[in-house]
Amino acid sequence: DAGITQSPRHKVTETGTPVTLRCHQTENHRYMYWYRQDPGHGLRLIHYSYGVKDTDKGEVSDGYSVSRSKTEDFLLTLESATSSQTSVYFCAIRESGENHYEQYFGPGTRLTVT
Amino acid sequence: KNQVEQSPQSLIILEGKNCTLQCNYTVSPFSNLRWYKQDTGRGPVSLTIMTFSENTKSNGRYTATLDADTKQSSLHITASQLSDSASYICVVIESGGSYIPTFGRGTSLIVHP
């Protein structure tokens, strides 16, 4: 699992409340990613980071923000949760190096917005 | 827009049988193609990675093929086991520095005893 943990693993929250999901890695990988996975869709990229304080948007970034103040932690924040953000969220890291480097995923966080 | 299409959407087979899953993509320029296995409630786990020059790659009972000319890949599972029941996801990586993968929707495989 490349030392990736996500917290919380499950969360139920109400519409309009802020939510922060945490991804923690133990192997000092430079690149970290946040994806969401919904039925009928492939994994979709929300945001990614290529270093401390270096982040960029993915294809479904609206309504989400991220922060990376330390190499090991990548936080995903829903400023005001909506029902459309009910999903399973996966964090991932990728190894640096050759073009066909590995990407490893965390165990996921199941978020329900009521 | 880059796309990855997988077929079939779902598949049910009996234990011990073989099966083949398909992946067609439009990602260009192409860097590499990956197959992942995702068990229910878990994150995806990599099975194979193939670059442009590789036609086939095996990982135990899993064999992936790639035809970069027709932009097609397949994943063949031999002598299926109950533990093969999972979603199999095809992922294509565009060449360049950003490493933004395009994911297929997956094929859900159920292996019955």
Side-chain angles (χ1 to χ4, degrees):
Chain A
D1 61 2
I4 306 169
T5 57
Q6 293 185 230
S7 60
R9 295 292 314 280
H10 302 271
K11 186 171 182 65
V12 179
T13 191
E14 293 183 348
T15 298
T17 59
V19 176
T20 295
L21 309 183
R22 179 181 183 239
C23 177
H24 179 78
Q25 56 139 335
T26 60
E27 300 184 3
N28 290 322
H29 293 291
R30 179 182 173 193
Y31 290 87
M32 299 184 74
Y33 303 79
W34 276 108
Y35 296 93
R36 61 178 289 173
Q37 188 175 40
D38 304 290
H41 293 273
L43 281 148
R44 292 181 290 175
L45 181 66
I46 304 172
H47 283 278
Y48 67 99
S49 170
Y50 46 95
V52 174
K53 296 185 180 176
D54 291 324
T55 64
D56 206 347
K57 296 179 180 180
E59 65 174 302
V60 292
S61 59
D62 287 347
Y64 302 94
S65 62
V66 290
S67 65
R68 193 168 178 200
S69 58
K70 299 184 291 184
T71 299
E72 59 266 36
D73 289 326
F74 191 30
L75 304 181
L76 177 70
T77 297
L78 291 64
E79 301 290 348
S80 178
T82 67
S83 58
S84 65
Q85 294 175 311
T86 292
S87 187
V88 180
Y89 292 86
F90 287 99
C91 173
I93 61 90
R94 76 165 168 100
E95 299 174 327
S96 302
E98 295 293 324
N99 212 12
H100 43 284
Y101 31 65
E102 272 294 359
Q103 185 171 48
Y104 296 97
F105 289 83
T109 293
R110 182 173 294 276
L111 175 67
T112 302
V113 183
T114 61
Chain B
K1 180 181 178 182
N2 290 334
Q3 287 188 311
V4 175
E5 299 290 340
Q6 291 187 242
S7 61
Q9 185 174 357
S10 61
L11 182 63
I12 301 173
I13 62 173
L14 292 175
E15 186 178 14
K17 298 296 185 182
N18 304 335
C19 66
T20 300
L21 314 180
Q22 302 290 343
C23 174
N24 296 336
Y25 62 93
T26 62
V27 177
S28 181
F30 173 87
S31 172
N32 61 84
L33 182 146
R34 299 137 183 266
W35 283 93
Y36 285 84
K37 179 187 180 188
Q38 185 176 21
D39 293 314
T40 301
R42 310 283 297 268
V45 174
S46 179
L47 293 173
T48 62
I49 302 173
M50 288 184 291
T51 59
F52 183 89
S53 59
E54 296 174 297
N55 299 119
T56 185
K57 182 164 282 189
S58 292
N59 178 359
R61 294 180 296 102
Y62 301 101
T63 299
T65 64
L66 173 65
D67 185 335
D69 292 330
T70 62
K71 298 186 177 180
Q72 296 179 324
S73 176
S74 66
L75 180 70
H76 186 75
I77 304 175
T78 303
S80 61
Q81 300 176 359
L82 298 179
S83 60
D84 292 330
S85 295
S87 179
Y88 292 84
I89 303 171
C90 177
V91 185
V92 182
I93 312 300
E94 190 176 342
S95 64
S98 64
Y99 186 85
I100 303 299
T102 301
F103 290 81
R105 297 179 182 182
T107 292
S108 175
L109 175 65
I110 298 174
V111 180
H112 279 314

